[in-house]
Structures are given as structure tokens and as C-alpha cells.
């Protein structure tokens, strides 16, 4: 007589949060339901906090809007961007899980050459659980996962990103972008450059390549260019800055590395534009908020709109 099949739990089900920044209803989750439904979602609502964001039934989630961010962080809320997808880093801040996967609401399931749907989350989990080798680079360019070599920068994209929050979370700050700032849409690039400098210093690895998703851009590319043009101009200084950064050997934690990096931003990039002075201060505020929210004695913050399985009950 055959034994009943024991259900296999999804990998990292209780160790991973999915963070989604949004300004609209999350209908896109229906396409991702077979892959995302077992996991907890942290939704960060950008824009008007009085607008109701609809989440499809059956998902376990908590939803934070700007009022929640202000309530939880108080004066430190100034470090979280407004009207920009950089607000996603608030989800990283309040998560209590070891791993984070973050995706945008205009990203959909891609298919492989045979037409099979790609479970991007499962591939990210495989990458996160497989050691990186930052001291050796495979020159075979194929449809594969590769480790970015030590000392090499890369253009990180926040719309399809997985990382070990316990190892590198405090460095995943998406900066001061969007409303009221002279730059937007460089949030993930900034976080990627900062993180790569710190991972290189601490001997941690960063991967690129698979998994792929299908991005159907919801924003206007011409409007985006207006938000980005300062960043394009400033890159002439920012890239050499990050290429030359040397962190002191005493910086043995991500927080210490990030504080040292903030000092260098103020010193080296501050003369370019007052914005970088503000950004350096916000980097310090971010670390203060991270340590405060994630202290062992701090209880998990509650979302005013936190719901589970689409019900109307408050957490």
C-alpha cells in the first residue's frame, strides 16, 4: 500500500518577505499567485495615503502608507522618499525576515524558450542559498547566473531583486529620491553602488543574470527622463567616487561601513551639489532608524492597514 505524499513546503516560506512599492491596485499579483501566495507580502503605498489600494483575495500581507511611515519613524521618516519607488526600503526596514525579494507592480511572469512560466522567486532563492565567488570571474557569457567580481560596480535594478537582509540589509537604502529632490529613479542604482562597495569590503558576493521577468513599464519614459537627467550628469562624479572608495578596516559591520560611506559622500560629493549633503545626512538617519526598529527589545511595528488573506481584520 502506497503512503500518502507529504506536502513539500515552499522554500524559505517563513524566512522571506516580498516587498512591493505601489501607487495602484495590485492586480498584477494574479499572474504571480502560484509563486507568491505562500509568502508574506509587505506593501509600501506611495503617493496619496487616503487612496485605497486593493489587493487580491488570498494573500497574506501588511500595507503601509505615508501616514504609517510617519507614525512609526517620527522625525526619522524624512529619510524615506516620497513619490518614488525608493519608498520600498521602508519595507526592508520593518521586515523581520532573513531574506527579502522585491518586485514592482508592473512586472510580470516571463516564459522560457519552451513557453514554460519562470518562477523568478524560486530562482532568486536558489541564488541566495548558493555561495558566491567574488574573487573569481567566469568569462563564459551565457544564460546563467554570474558573480560580479570584487572591485567592479554594477547597475542594480530594484524591480527584481533578492538579498540576504541579515547580511546586507542596512546597506539597502534607496536614498533621497522623488518628490522634493533634484533626482529620481536613481534609487536602486545608488543602493547598488553603496552595497557593492560594502560587500567587497566585507568579502560578500553579489550575483547577476537569472532570473528574468517581463517588465511592462507603467510610467512615461519622457517624464522619467526629466527625473533622471541630474543623475545622468552627476554620474561623471559618482562612478569615480565609488570606484575609489576605501573603507577603514575597523568598519567590521554593515552599519559601520555605511556611516563611513556617508562621511565620504559628504566630503567628496557634497561640493558638487547641496543635495549630497542632505543625502549623506539621510544615510545616517537611515542607519539610526534601522538600529532602532531592529533592536532586540523593539516589537514589530503594526501597519494601520495590515490585513491577512484579504480580510478586513486589523493586525
Amino acid at each position: 500500500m502506497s503512503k500518502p505524499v507529504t506536502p513539500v513546503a515552499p522554500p524559505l516560506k517563513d524566512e522571506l518577505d516580498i516587498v512591493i512599492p505601489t501607487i495602484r491596485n495590485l492586480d498584477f499579483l494574479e499572474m504571480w499567485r502560484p509563486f507568491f501566495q505562500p509568502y508574506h507580502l509587505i506593501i509600501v503605498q506611495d503617493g496619496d495615503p487616503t487612496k485605497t489600494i486593493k489587493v487580491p483575495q488570498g494573500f497574506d500581507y501588511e500595507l503601509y502608507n505615508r501616514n504609517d511611515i510617519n507614525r512609526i519613524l517620527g522625525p526619522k521618516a524624512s529619510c524615506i522618499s516620497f513619490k518614488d519607488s525608493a519608498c520600498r526600503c521602508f519595507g526592508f526596514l520593518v521586515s523581520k525576515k532573513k531574506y527579502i525579494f522585491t518586485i514592482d507592480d508592473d512586472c510580470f511572469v516571463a516564459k522560457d524558450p519552451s513557453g514554460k512560466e519562470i518562477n523568478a522567486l524560486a530562482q532568486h532563492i536558489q541564488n541566495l542559498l548558493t555561495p558566491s565567488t567574488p574573487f573569481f570571474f567566469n568569462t563564459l557569457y551565457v544564460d546563467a547566473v554570474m558573480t560580479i567580481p570584487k572591485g567592479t560596480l554594477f547597475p542594480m535594478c530594484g524591480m527584481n531583486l533578492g538579498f540576504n537582509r541579515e547580511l546586507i540589509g542596512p546597506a539597502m537604502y534607496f536614498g533621497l529620491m522623488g518628490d522634493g529632490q533634484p533626482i529620481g529613479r536613481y534609487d536602486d542604482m545608488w543602493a547598488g553602488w553603496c552595497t557593492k562597495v560594502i560587500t567587497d569590503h566585507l568579502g560578500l558576493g553579489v550575483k547577476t543574470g537569472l532570473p528574468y521577468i517581463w517588465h511592462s513599464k507603467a510610467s512615461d519614459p519622457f517624464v522619467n527622463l526629466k527625473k533622471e537627467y541630474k543623475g545622468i550628469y552627476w554620474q561623471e562624479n559618482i562612478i569615480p567616487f565609488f570606484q575609489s572608495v576605501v573603507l577603514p578596516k575597523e568598519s567590521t559591520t554593515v552599519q559601520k561601513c555605511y556611516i563611513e560611506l556617508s562621511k565620504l559622500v559628504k566630503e567628496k560629493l557634497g561640493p558638487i551639489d547641496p543635495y549630497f549633503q542632505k543625502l549623506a545626512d539621510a544615510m545616517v538617519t537611515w542607519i539610526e532608524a534601522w538600529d532602532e526598529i531592529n533592536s532586540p527589545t523593539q516589537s514589530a511595528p503594526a501597519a494601520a492597514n495590515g490585513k491577512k488573506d484579504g480580510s478586513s481584520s486589523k493586525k
Side-chain angles (χ1 to χ4, degrees), residues 217-279:
K217 189 183 289 291
S219 54
D220 186 322
F222 296 103
V223 172
N224 291 342
L225 186 59
K226 292 180 180 179
K227 298 176 181 178
E228 295 169 357
Y229 84 94
K230 280 268 184 140
I232 296 171
Y233 175 69
W234 285 337
Q235 266 191 200
E236 298 297 321
N237 300 102
I238 295 174
I239 298 299
F241 164 75
F242 280 107
Q243 288 174 327
S244 64
V245 164
V246 177
L247 296 172
K249 62 180 181 180
E250 294 79 17
S251 297
T252 54
T253 68
V254 175
Q255 283 96 326
K256 289 179 180 178
C257 288
Y258 207 72
I259 293 298
E260 288 298 321
L261 192 54
S262 72
K263 295 175 184 176
L264 292 171
V265 168
K266 181 168 285 190
E267 177 189 346
K268 303 294 185 182
L269 298 180
I272 296 171
D273 191 276
Y275 165 74
F276 290 102
Q277 301 276 351
K278 290 171 55 182
L279 178 56

Side-chain angles (χ1 to χ4, degrees), residues 65-78:
N65 61 33
R66 192 70 202 184
N67 293 337
D68 300 318
I69 294 172
N70 292 338
R71 171 177 55 83
I72 292 167
L73 294 185
K76 294 184 178 67
S78 61

Side-chain angles (χ1 to χ4, degrees), residues 178-189:
D179 194 41
Q181 307 300 336
I183 185 176
R185 293 178 53 82
Y186 262 75
D187 49 345
D188 44 9
M189 301 277 279

Side-chain angles (χ1 to χ4, degrees), residues 20-37:
I20 306 169
T22 191
I23 58 171
R24 57 184 63 87
N25 294 334
L26 297 183
D27 300 330
F28 91 112
L29 285 173
E30 289 296 352
M31 180 176 281
W32 288 102
R33 186 182 290 275
F35 309 132
F36 287 3
Q37 191 161 356

Side-chain angles (χ1 to χ4, degrees), residues 7-276:
V8 178
L12 302 182
K13 178 181 180 296
D14 299 319
E15 298 181 77
L16 181 143
D17 279 333
I18 300 175
V19 174
I20 306 169
T22 191
I23 58 171
R24 57 184 63 87
N25 294 334
L26 297 183
D27 300 330
F28 91 112
L29 285 173
E30 289 296 352
M31 180 176 281
W32 288 102
R33 186 182 290 275
F35 309 132
F36 287 3
Q37 191 161 356
Y39 296 88
H40 181 68
L41 312 181
I42 297 179
I43 302 163
V44 184
Q45 178 180 345
D46 197 15
D48 183 0
T50 65
K51 180 180 178 181
T52 300
I53 298 293
K54 295 181 180 178
V55 182
Q57 290 285 327
F59 286 94
D60 173 30
Y61 71 96
E62 52 192 303
L63 191 158
Y64 297 90
N65 61 33
R66 192 70 202 184
N67 293 337
D68 300 318
I69 294 172
N70 292 338
R71 171 177 55 83
I72 292 167
L73 294 185
K76 294 184 178 67
S78 61
C79 73
I80 305 298
S81 294
F82 188 55
K83 294 187 177 178
D84 189 274
S85 63
C87 67
R88 79 177 76 233
C89 64
F90 179 78
F92 310 159
L93 183 72
V94 297
S95 170
K96 296 299 181 183
K97 303 291 179 61
K98 182 175 182 179
Y99 300 100
I100 294 289
F101 171 62
T102 182
I103 188 170
D104 283 7
D105 60 13
D106 56 359
C107 293
F108 303 94
V109 179
K111 295 183 179 181
D112 66 18
S114 70
K116 181 181 178 181
E117 291 189 334
I118 298 171
N119 184 349
L121 176 56
Q123 291 188 8
H124 273 293
I125 289 172
Q126 182 179 352
N127 290 341
L128 289 167
L129 297 179
T130 306
S132 296
T133 53
F135 307 108
F136 183 82
F137 182 61
N138 186 348
T139 57
L140 178 63
Y141 287 89
V142 293
D143 190 26
V145 177
M146 295 179 291
T147 297
I148 301 171
K150 182 178 181 181
T152 302
L153 298 177
F154 74 110
M156 191 177 82
C157 178
M159 69 175 64
N160 177 30
L161 172 68
F163 62 92
N164 186 322
R165 181 181 178 276
E166 288 185 356
L167 278 182
I168 202 66
M172 280 290 179
Y173 174 52
F174 278 51
L176 285 181
M177 307 281 164
D179 194 41
Q181 307 300 336
I183 185 176
R185 293 178 53 82
Y186 262 75
D187 49 345
D188 44 9
M189 301 277 279
W190 179 263
W193 294 328
C194 292
T195 299
K196 188 57 166 62
V197 166
I198 293 173
T199 54
D200 284 352
H201 177 75
L202 297 177
L204 303 172
V206 178
K207 296 179 181 179
T208 187
L210 300 178
Y212 298 124
I213 59 173
W214 167 39
H215 180 217
S216 179
K217 189 183 289 291
S219 54
D220 186 322
F222 296 103
V223 172
N224 291 342
L225 186 59
K226 292 180 180 179
K227 298 176 181 178
E228 295 169 357
Y229 84 94
K230 280 268 184 140
I232 296 171
Y233 175 69
W234 285 337
Q235 266 191 200
E236 298 297 321
N237 300 102
I238 295 174
I239 298 299
F241 164 75
F242 280 107
Q243 288 174 327
S244 64
V245 164
V246 177
L247 296 172
K249 62 180 181 180
E250 294 79 17
S251 297
T252 54
T253 68
V254 175
Q255 283 96 326
K256 289 179 180 178
C257 288
Y258 207 72
I259 293 298
E260 288 298 321
L261 192 54
S262 72
K263 295 175 184 176
L264 292 171
V265 168
K266 181 168 285 190
E267 177 189 346
K268 303 294 185 182
L269 298 180
I272 296 171
D273 191 276
Y275 165 74
F276 290 102

